[in-house]
Amino acid sequence: MGMTIAEKILAAHSGHDHVVPGQLIECATDWVLCHEITTPAALRMLEERGMDKVFDPSRIVAVPDHSVPAMNIKAAKMYQKLKSWVQEKGVKHFFDVGRGGIAHVVLENTGLVNPGQTLVSGDSHTCNAGALGMFATGVGSTDLAGAIYAGKVWFKIPETMLIRVTGEMQPGVTPKDIVLEVIKRIGADGANYMVMEWVGDTIDKMDMEGRFTLTNMAIEAGGKTGIVGVDDTTRQYLRERGVEPGSYTEYASDPDAKYKVVVEIDAAAVEPTVAYPHIPSNGRVAGSDRIAVTHAYVGSCTNGRIGDLRDVARILKGRKVADGVQMIVVPATQAIWKQAAQEGLMEIFVDAGASVSYPSCGACLGMHSGVLGPDDVCISSSNRNFVGRMGDPSAQIYLASPATVAASAVAGFISDPREYNAPAPGTEAAD
């Protein structure tokens, strides 16, 4: 019996020629990603046990991102703990405040993580990096402590779900709509502890930003990780970051690899999709109901990239955010912030009446920079709409693509972005 991409990577990192789902392995970790929220707890565990060391300072990446700049004294202390540890242990790759942004998006652009590698972090959206053809997953603080100390972690080999997406996406439909459609079909636990492997001609034509969006939300379907095989798009993306083919290992699933389930998606049939409260699987077509919004949020590790901001700018150019709607745009990294400014996108956002915030996780998880109050209604390009996720438990969160968020901000209610495909009268679409 053949193996999937994920199984091959895990076999190679555990000293096995062949692995099967359900098998327990001790897996070597190529990279450990740390931020200021979950890492301090892991460090305390190590300190309390006299195990205060790191397996390899050159294989740890630290990025404070959840609550930066610090919103209060507690957040400042957590940041201080991460920074002092980085300095004490000589952690080589530290992207400090003002030099980083959201950890997953910072990491994907560094050229550090490559196909065929393994990555763990105390953050559930670590699966984001699976778009690079690697095995990347979130772990709890206890496993994070073990990875920091020994460079190893225990895994049960996950089963794999194959998601085949074929056909041309309609204008106005984005990878975010594709992944919301998949989660709607299979349910919020439909991929429980599985690898979600994406294939098909739609994926072949998709750029890396879109692929990152797909793998990022594997956890919203209960998945262990998401993964996309390496192709010319991946290789070119890495080459632009100084990584040449031949310096990493590419794995491809065998023709006779075993999949737990196969999901077939006709991309042409997917419409702009909105996940209604309070679960990402509660998807409906955008504009099905006239639901007034008080907040519109563009950002997060799912959809705060430059292509997302361009989608928003195309809709906002020459238009205004509706009265009574607070719109916040959060570029995912400092580099994206700078690029957006250079392309004139920031001016479009400001002229439309949107606020632009510092690159961080911010309001995505209700920590700062746009936390929702009682009975607020937010349409967000983030990844979760659980009760209390972005603030007050009574607030309503609707998940959508950045384009749908922008269209809804202009209309004042949840709207279909296809109604705004044409530029505003007297303007040209943003580049």
Side-chain angles (χ1 to χ4, degrees):
M1 180 65 70
M3 291 191 291
T4 65
I5 300 173
E7 289 164 358
K8 288 183 178 182
I9 295 172
L10 295 178
H13 284 74
S14 60
H16 292 85
D17 294 328
H18 192 275
V19 295
V20 295
Q23 181 178 342
L24 292 175
I25 61 164
E26 186 179 50
C27 180
T29 54
D30 291 304
W31 294 97
V32 179
L33 176 62
C34 298
H35 59 62
E36 84 283 11
I37 301 300
T38 56
T39 305
L43 300 181
R44 284 193 295 271
M45 293 179 194
L46 294 174
E47 292 164 358
E48 290 167 357
R49 291 161 176 78
M51 300 166 65
D52 185 21
K53 76 177 186 70
V54 299
F55 80 104
D56 185 345
S58 70
R59 288 289 177 171
I60 293 176
V61 180
V63 190
D65 66 350
H66 276 55
S67 184
V68 293
M71 63 176 179
N72 54 33
I73 295 172
K74 180 180 179 181
K77 289 180 177 178
M78 296 179 82
Y79 164 77
Q80 288 178 333
K81 176 65 176 177
L82 180 69
K83 187 173 184 177
S84 63
W85 172 72
V86 163
Q87 293 171 337
E88 177 187 342
K89 302 303 180 187
V91 171
K92 183 177 179 180
H93 306 289
F94 180 49
F95 297 87
D96 202 354
V97 178
R99 298 168 179 82
I102 302 175
H104 310 296
V105 186
V106 170
L107 186 63
E108 73 191 33
N109 280 293
T110 60
L112 294 173
V113 290
N114 293 170
Q117 295 183 331
T118 57
L119 163 71
V120 298
S121 173
D123 189 291
S124 58
H125 290 101
T126 306
C127 48
N128 184 82
L132 291 169
M134 63 185 297
F135 188 90
T137 192
V139 296
S141 289
T142 302
D143 283 331
L144 178 62
I148 291 170
Y149 176 80
K152 297 179 180 179
V153 65
W154 284 95
F155 285 134
K156 180 175 73 172
I157 301 295
E159 296 175 306
T160 298
M161 169 185 289
L162 186 71
I163 306 168
R164 184 181 292 107
V165 189
T166 56
E168 294 288 338
M169 293 189 293
Q170 299 180 40
V173 174
T174 72
K176 180 64 166 287
D177 300 304
I178 297 290
V179 71
L180 287 176
E181 173 66 22
V182 169
I183 296 172
K184 179 181 74 172
R185 290 196 192 185
I186 67 175
D189 60 354
N192 191 34
Y193 203 83
M194 295 184 199
V195 175
M196 298 175 71
E197 181 180 336
W198 297 84
V199 300
D201 60 72
T202 309
I203 309 302
D204 296 340
K205 299 172 187 174
M206 192 176 289
D207 63 19
M208 286 304 301
E209 289 196 1
R211 296 179 186 185
F212 283 121
T213 295
L214 299 182
T215 56
N216 179 278
M217 290 191 68
I219 190 66
E220 272 66 59
K224 185 67 174 175
T225 191
I227 199 163
V228 180
V230 178
D231 62 7
D232 286 342
T233 299
T234 323
R235 297 181 195 104
Q236 181 59 30
Y237 178 87
L238 291 169
R239 189 177 288 111
E240 291 169 357
R241 286 151 183 80
V243 184
E244 291 298 327
S247 64
Y248 49 81
T249 304
E250 298 181 15
Y251 293 97
S253 294
D254 293 324
D256 60 343
K258 183 179 180 180
Y259 294 97
K260 177 68 174 179
V261 63
V262 176
V263 178
E264 301 279 358
I265 300 292
D266 176 6
V270 176
E271 299 189 78
T273 301
V274 176
Y276 281 43
H278 294 283
I279 192 166
S281 59
N282 191 15
R284 306 181 197 178
V285 175
S288 297
D289 306 295
R290 188 183 174 95
I291 298 172
V293 298
T294 60
H295 289 65
Y297 188 84
V298 174
S300 85
C301 57
T302 312
N303 284 119
R305 299 175 179 84
I306 190 64
D308 300 316
L309 303 189
R310 291 169 181 155
D311 285 347
V312 171
R314 287 189 186 98
I315 290 174
L316 291 188
K317 187 172 185 179
R319 298 184 172 98
K320 296 288 186 180
V321 173
D323 291 342
V325 177
Q326 179 186 126
M327 186 175 190
I328 301 174
V329 179
V330 187
T333 68
Q334 287 282 84
I336 293 170
W337 202 107
K338 181 179 179 180
Q339 185 173 355
Q342 291 172 336
E343 293 183 11
L345 307 187
M346 296 301 193
E347 184 176 355
I348 294 172
F349 300 151
V350 172
D351 287 348
S355 297
V356 182
S357 185
Y358 171 80
S360 75
C361 297
C364 172
L365 69 164
M367 298 202 77
H368 70 142
S369 300
V371 174
L372 302 181
D375 300 317
D376 278 338
V377 178
C378 179
I379 184 158
S380 172
S381 73
S382 57
N383 40 56
R384 289 180 181 160
N385 56 351
F386 304 152
V387 173
R389 169 70 177 181
M390 295 183 70
D392 193 89
S394 67
Q396 304 284 303
I397 306 164
Y398 295 80
L399 303 179
S401 72
T404 300
V405 173
S408 303
V410 170
F413 52 87
I414 297 177
S415 300
D416 189 328
R418 292 173 295 189
E419 298 175 6
Y420 294 84
N421 276 347
T427 68
E428 296 179 356
D431 293 331

